[in-house]
Amino acid sequence: MDSCVIPLRHGGLSLVQTTDFFYPLVEDPYMMGRIACANVLSDLYAMGITECDNMLMLLSVSQKMNEKERDQVMPLMMKGFRDAAEEAGTSVTGGQTVVNPWIIVGGVASVVCQPNDFIMPDSAVPGDVLVLTKPLGTQVAVNAHQWLDIPEKWNKIKLVISREEVEQAYQEAMLNMATLNRTAAALMHKFNAHAATDVTGFGIIGHARNLAQQQKNDVAFVIHNLPIISKMAAIVKAGGNLFGLLQGTSSETSGGLLICLPREQAARFCAEMKSSRVGLSGAMGHDGGAGDGQQAWIIGIVEKGNRCARIIDKPRIIEVPYRGSVVSAQEGSNNNASPPEVQLT
């Protein structure tokens, strides 16, 4: 499961906990902090849990950074993490900081729950549909942004995307990764979700297979549609099937929830996601302002089967348009350090 569920000795309560951490994958330290926090919380949200009682922050400071760089970068990363926690209705009460060759950021999320507060991810039935709450393609967008400064790689994709579009896709990926899955978690209860997981390092097909294997019933997941950040499908085709995006193996970070919903509830779930009020507490500046709803897509079906998952041979690619640019927390900041080419987790 995405989180561990530990029955407590007192009153039928359970402690639900999760932890995650990774290397930086975007250049803005504030947004990296937000993404790290959203990624940790997503494991709770995948079980329909909407509240978090406490968070700890795990932070590794790079020994390669000088004192000035540390004083500029690390406080911004910590602020981003704390701001996302505050948006989630929780707080960071402690953690651990170490010195390491690489920057690492992550955390721990904990909540004490009653049984009806969470949804065990094991009750999908034939006839359900699969809903995804964030577009795919973050790994492609982040790497394409790095390739702007690597001529031999940029030359392979420049005929299918402009530099401006790469920048827009990168901003869109940051915005998606920093958005909490909390609204989707709440709607899972309202619309009787049968199972869910969050889409991260194993890609959409890897997580679909993991979820299918956990089901109590003999089911199989079949994915027909792939919502992908605009132009990312063109990039992978131009680059020779980069990252396996169209096969569902491209890694995501802080991706959306993959949810099994009753067929009659799925369209209403997507409509309520779109009408919900969400935002990044002033950390973004896309058209329409903070508070725009989140999209969600029906991407497949649950049928009778042997607890497996697959993508059809020619899935429909849904081009998800860019919404705008993320505003850095540090106006005019100039962080020129580029992270290594990343495998998102």
Side-chain angles (χ1 to χ4, degrees), residues 215-238:
Q215 301 311 302
K216 292 183 290 187
N217 298 309
D218 294 331
V219 296
F221 298 164
V222 183
I223 296 172
H224 297 263
N225 304 318
L226 295 176
I228 296 174
I229 296 171
S230 182
K231 294 294 186 80
M232 298 304 100
I235 287 178
V236 301
K237 290 176 182 178

Side-chain angles (χ1 to χ4, degrees), residues 293-307:
Q294 294 175 257
Q295 281 189 279
W297 301 267
I298 297 172
I299 67 165
I301 61 172
V302 179
E303 61 183 22
K304 189 172 179 59
N306 59 347
R307 297 183 179 86

